Amino acid sequence: MEHDGQLQLYAAVANQLKEAHARVRALQVPEGVRMALTRKLLAITAAAKHDLAAAARRLERFKADLDDFDEGSGSEEEL
């Protein structure tokens, strides 16, 4: 049973990572900001290989930061 939960979490994180990558590509921000966001996203992707639950929590915080950028209130200093 626990294995099924782990697989579901893995699938959810994989889908969220895919969506986050697409959102970063679509942002209208300077290239330096895009690169910093991409680096953070790649770090979360790498972390998912070792601690899926922690990566899922980091991804949720990352997505909240992306919401700020979508609304125009995100800044380079936050990165």
Side-chain angles (χ1 to χ4, degrees):
M1 218 36 144
E2 183 180 323
H3 185 67
D4 288 341
Q6 189 76 357
L7 286 176
Q8 289 175 343
L9 180 59
Y10 179 79
V13 169
N15 286 332
Q16 290 175 11
L17 283 168
K18 184 177 177 180
E19 291 172 12
H21 277 284
R23 286 180 65 189
V24 167
R25 281 192 308 273
L27 282 176
Q28 300 296 317
V29 295
E31 190 59 30
V33 172
R34 184 183 325 283
M35 287 174 34
L37 289 169
T38 300
R39 280 192 298 273
K40 286 180 96 172
L41 194 48
L42 291 173
I44 294 169
T45 302
K49 296 176 185 175
H50 305 287
D51 187 347
L52 190 57
R57 290 187 298 273
R58 288 177 63 184
L59 184 56
E60 287 302 317
R61 288 190 303 269
F62 181 83
K63 288 172 30 180
D65 291 344
L66 279 183
D67 290 342
D68 291 342
F69 279 98
D70 284 340
E71 296 167 1
S73 62
S75 69
E76 198 167 346
E77 289 80 31
E78 293 177 12
L79 301 176

